[in-house]
Amino acid sequence: MTIQWFPGHMLATENLLKNEICKTDAIMEILDARLPISSANPFVDRICKNKFRLKVLNKTDLADPQQTPLWLEYFEEKLIPAVSTCGTHPSHVLYALNGCLDRTIRNTARKLKILVLGIPNTGKSTILNTLSGKKIAKTGNTPAITRHQQRTSLPNNIDIYDTPGILSPVIEPVEKAYILAASGAISDTAFDYGDVAVFAAAMLIRRYPHLLIERYPFIGNVPDDPVILIEKIGAGRGCLKKRGVIDYQKASEILIRELRAGKIGKISFETPKDYENDNKA
Ligand SMILES: Nc1nc2c(ncn2[C@@H]2O[C@H](COP(=O)(O)OP(=O)(O)OP(=O)(O)O)[C@@H](O)[C@H]2O)c(=O)[nH]1
Ligand SMILES: [Mg+2]
């Protein structure tokens, strides 16, 4: 099933960015470290062509610690500037900001303008707050918290702009939409938890069976079938309807919410190895 979610403020943000980009010195593109490919918006590639752009793989504390360094190597090989951060960690975000400043030619006659861009819920506003040392921007664990661009002045004549998260109007292929939905980048109103849970369960069975056993010891062996895994989780967590029928929807929601919150463990939805294999053909 295709998933689409493109509320009006995203189109307004795209139009704003098209006008603003020429007045911008550098861009911090905030990605989700668990999904560095799927959390990149092709619109950002298109409009940022002639500007210095740093890819910031945020939420590293939730990502598989083996995969994030591999992603950084992957980007380095392709000569794409990238760093990884935890958005609430001042030294991490300062390192990212300096990564931008080091590569940006300054026009001392005016303030340096840095745009913070990305899809929803990757931690843009959190990074801005950590950089400024104050809670300037509203943050929250649902997508589309920020609805308007917001400027903050930093020391050394720097203006930094937080922007609303933007997605593509059409998210393709469907696997990408499922990854985005599972990560929390798409509003819950735009997809079915059951579908996304099957996708997520299949990924967990393939890559992180040991974490499934640790989190849900009552499942016994990890089944090959994602639907059976979800049913077992539902049974173990008491998600039952009348006459003992498993509440599949509730079980799906539990799996997705615990996956997003890092309760199952540190998990990456994408690995450079799988990505390269999938794109070899
Ligand atoms: N675990 C973890 N959570 C983070 C990190 N950075 C941000 N968050 C959380 O992620 C959620 C989204 O953060 P926001 O800063 O609101 O994200 P945003 O990109 O501004 O989202 P929109 O405004 O909706 O586009 C919040 O609950 C943050 O506390 C991080 O590095 N690690
Ligand atoms: Mg925000």
Side-chain angles (χ1 to χ4, degrees):
M1 202 190 80
T2 54
I3 299 174
Q4 268 175 288
W5 186 55
F6 193 68
H9 78 275
M10 291 193 188
L11 180 62
T13 304
E14 281 195 359
N15 290 334
L16 179 89
L17 290 172
K18 281 178 197 161
N19 289 325
E20 295 256 316
I21 207 75
C22 57
K23 303 172 227 158
T24 299
D25 296 295
I27 293 117
M28 287 169 82
E29 181 187 16
I30 315 301
L31 303 171
D32 188 322
R34 298 168 296 172
L35 42 141
I37 298 294
S38 292
S39 60
N41 183 341
F43 171 80
V44 174
D45 287 342
R46 286 198 297 277
I47 62 157
C48 297
K49 261 187 197 140
N50 304 317
K51 298 285 170 183
F52 174 74
R53 174 171 32 136
L54 182 70
K55 284 186 182 276
V56 179
L57 278 58
N58 192 41
K59 302 197 179 184
T60 35
D61 54 312
L62 297 176
D64 182 337
Q66 291 186 331
Q67 296 303 326
T68 305
L70 295 177
W71 276 118
L72 291 177
E73 265 175 38
Y74 168 89
F75 288 121
E76 196 179 348
E77 272 171 23
K78 301 209 158 8
L79 303 178
I80 298 171
V83 296
S84 63
T85 55
C86 174
T88 49
H89 220 294
S91 65
H92 287 201
V93 295
L94 205 59
Y95 181 73
L97 177 68
N98 285 334
C100 250
L101 299 179
D102 289 351
R103 310 276 283 274
T104 309
I105 300 159
R106 275 196 97 142
N107 175 347
T108 45
R110 59 171 178 79
K111 283 187 154 189
L112 194 83
K113 179 170 176 172
I114 297 181
L115 278 183
V116 180
L117 303 183
I119 65 162
N121 207 6
T122 51
K124 298 176 293 299
S125 303
T126 302
I127 287 177
L128 191 96
N129 287 341
T130 306
L131 276 173
S132 67
K134 289 180 243 156
K135 186 155 172 37
I136 291 167
K138 195 173 161 197
T139 63
N141 204 10
T142 46
I145 291 283
T146 305
R147 294 291 178 128
H148 303 283
Q149 196 181 55
Q150 185 173 0
R151 184 187 64 181
T152 305
S153 292
L154 298 177
N156 300 323
N157 248 359
I158 299 165
D159 275 346
I160 188 156
Y161 289 72
D162 184 20
T163 51
I166 41 171
L167 288 164
S168 296
V170 179
I171 305 171
E172 281 175 334
V174 70
E175 290 76 21
K176 176 174 173 171
Y178 284 152
I179 290 178
L180 289 171
S183 76
I186 297 179
S187 167
D188 290 7
T189 55
F191 64 87
D192 177 69
Y193 268 102
D195 292 345
V196 175
V198 170
F199 174 83
M203 181 274 288
L204 290 167
I205 291 169
R206 187 159 42 93
R207 289 217 198 100
Y208 300 102
H210 58 293
L211 295 181
L212 286 171
I213 296 282
E214 273 172 35
R215 180 69 188 170
Y216 311 109
F218 49 79
I219 62 175
N221 294 327
V222 176
D224 292 333
D225 185 338
V227 173
I228 294 175
L229 173 66
I230 296 164
E231 284 175 354
K232 282 185 163 199
I233 291 172
R237 287 289 177 83
C239 306
L240 300 174
K241 295 201 263 196
K242 276 186 198 154
R243 284 194 277 275
V245 175
I246 289 170
D247 188 336
Y248 188 79
Q249 197 64 17
K250 216 170 172 182
S252 299
E253 286 192 31
I254 287 177
L255 180 69
I256 296 298
R257 292 197 195 289
E258 298 196 353
L259 172 63
R260 281 180 188 166
K263 289 186 177 163
I264 301 175
K266 292 177 187 289
I267 282 162
S268 292
F269 295 68
E270 295 171 332
T271 69
K273 199 171 162 202
D274 280 0
Y275 180 68
E276 295 214 304
N277 283 341
D278 290 350
N279 287 280
K280 248 180 202 161

